[in-house]
Amino acid sequence: QPEVVREGRKGHSHRRQAAVMAVSEPDVLFPVTNNFWLGNYQAAINEGSTLRVSGQAAINRDAVVYRAYIALGNAETVLAEVAGDVEAPALQGVRLLAAYVADEGSRTALLMQLQEFEGNSAYVADAGFAVAGATIYSREGDWAAALKLLHQHRTMEAMALQVQCLLGMDRVDLAETQAAAMAGLDDDHTLTKLALAWVFVAQGGDKYEKALEVYSELVDAHGTSLMLLNGLGVCNLHLRRFDAAEKHLIDAIGMGANDADTLINLITCARHTGKPPEFVERYVSQLRRVAPKHPYVEALGRVESSFDRVAASLDVA
């Protein structure tokens, strides 16, 4: 997922986690999985609806399509269509993820249920279940539990999610090693390129230019997506090419007006370019409306509350 520029720190957005959730399959699923990895979630759903496969390939296709629905904010669709007693581990993992996203109040119970499934070797051995479960742990910030679930899997998506986890732990050195291992398996794979871009952004300095090159190559090969446009925007922000960054981010907001990551990056860009306060506040208000529980919004609320308390203590009127 694109790197999200946060004021004062480097963030790792959930959209990047979503990008590595698809189950690896032979080329028959490539139109579905590749669109998913690139953040073209509706295109993945559309491709999946016309793809005729059977057996495990059909299960993996459905898992990718349901993950795309979750990424688009339609977890309820997954819960309505995937039975709670579904036998396929990959689909059970998808259902757990959908329930986790849809109902914040039940997350403790869902985590316990996930741990119970981990006691079943058939589930742990299923790459689709492992990636879905690790994604839940990643959202919890429990990187160790995510890596434990993923460690036996050598699929590209499992390895890419390991890169995400290692970056979340600020172990850029290990993330670089993992991305290099992916390149050794398939240096032209979409997830290899994305993983390298994430590592380059985390390394910073002259590596921002390399990350920009990777995102540009992906756009040339596959066209634009919210994810790729945000990646281009973030790289240009770090390189202080604010006009280019703003162009990419405006294009991104045109593709998804309520995308939280894009709004955060636009807020950062607007502040760097000296936009009027009311201009910035417009994006902030929109972000608060569409993603009230986003970590950026919650952090902003804490800062504003602290400022208000200090201001009140200095009020001598």
Side-chain angles (χ1 to χ4, degrees):
Q1 182 85 269
E3 180 77 14
V4 180
V5 172
R6 309 279 173 81
E7 311 248 338
R9 65 183 295 272
K10 295 176 184 175
H12 307 290
S13 78
H14 291 317
R15 190 192 306 273
R16 293 188 314 184
Q17 295 166 2
V20 294
M21 290 169 49
V23 178
S24 182
E25 268 297 309
D27 286 347
V28 64
L29 292 188
F30 182 80
V32 184
T33 56
N34 201 59
N35 273 306
F36 183 83
W37 294 326
L38 292 167
N40 289 319
Y41 302 119
Q42 189 59 55
I45 293 170
N46 295 344
E47 292 285 354
S49 68
T50 61
L51 184 63
R52 298 291 177 261
V53 289
S54 60
Q56 187 62 44
I59 292 172
N60 293 347
R61 174 204 60 198
D62 291 346
V64 178
V65 168
Y66 284 134
R67 288 164 177 159
Y69 275 114
I70 295 171
L72 288 173
N74 296 324
E76 291 77 8
T77 298
V78 181
L79 295 173
E81 295 188 11
V82 181
D85 59 352
V86 64
E87 293 185 2
L91 295 181
Q92 186 63 251
V94 169
R95 195 179 199 285
L96 281 174
L97 179 59
Y100 176 90
V101 171
D103 186 2
E104 184 176 352
S106 66
R107 288 179 178 175
T108 299
L110 287 167
L111 287 169
M112 293 178 62
Q113 188 178 2
L114 173 58
Q115 291 164 5
E116 290 177 6
F117 280 122
E118 288 183 68
N120 186 323
S121 60
Y123 280 79
V124 176
D126 187 279
F129 175 84
V131 173
T135 300
I136 293 174
Y137 284 131
S138 295
R139 290 186 174 225
E140 287 286 305
D142 192 344
W143 311 113
L147 288 170
K148 179 181 177 182
L149 195 52
L150 292 167
H151 81 278
Q152 67 174 288
H153 296 284
R154 299 295 291 174
T155 59
M156 296 300 284
E157 63 284 347
M159 295 178 73
L161 185 50
Q162 289 180 63
V163 172
Q164 288 292 304
C165 293
L166 293 167
L167 290 175
M169 298 170 69
D170 291 326
R171 289 304 307 268
V172 180
D173 56 333
L174 296 180
E176 181 181 18
T177 299
Q178 183 76 336
M182 294 175 67
L185 292 174
D186 186 349
D187 62 359
D188 199 42
H189 197 286
T190 297
L191 285 177
T192 298
K193 292 181 180 297
L194 286 171
L196 288 170
W198 305 333
V199 171
F200 288 149
V201 171
Q203 290 173 325
D206 60 357
K207 296 298 179 69
Y208 290 130
E209 198 71 61
K210 289 188 175 182
L212 184 64
E213 291 175 5
V214 173
Y215 282 122
S216 297
E217 289 175 4
L218 287 169
V219 169
D220 290 342
H222 306 288
T224 59
S225 70
L226 270 173
M227 177 190 301
L228 296 180
L229 287 170
N230 271 279
L232 291 169
V234 164
C235 291
N236 279 296
L237 280 173
H238 281 298
L239 292 166
R240 305 191 68 80
R241 299 169 186 168
F242 299 121
D243 289 344
E246 185 175 38
K247 179 185 181 301
H248 291 307
L249 295 172
I250 291 297
D251 288 344
I253 207 69
M255 297 182 70
N258 293 326
D259 180 68
D261 293 337
T262 306
L263 289 168
I264 292 169
N265 289 329
L266 277 168
I267 290 167
T268 302
C269 187
R271 287 175 172 161
H272 277 297
T273 53
K275 291 288 193 299
E278 60 271 17
F279 186 94
V280 178
E281 185 56 35
R282 193 176 305 137
Y283 286 135
V284 173
S285 297
Q286 185 176 352
L287 178 62
R288 283 185 164 128
R289 185 177 67 256
V290 302
K293 293 190 177 297
H294 195 286
Y296 182 95
V297 174
E298 292 180 342
L300 185 61
R302 289 192 295 271
V303 170
E304 291 175 340
S305 295
S306 297
F307 179 84
D308 291 341
R309 285 195 299 271
V310 171
S313 69
L314 297 176
D315 187 359
V316 296

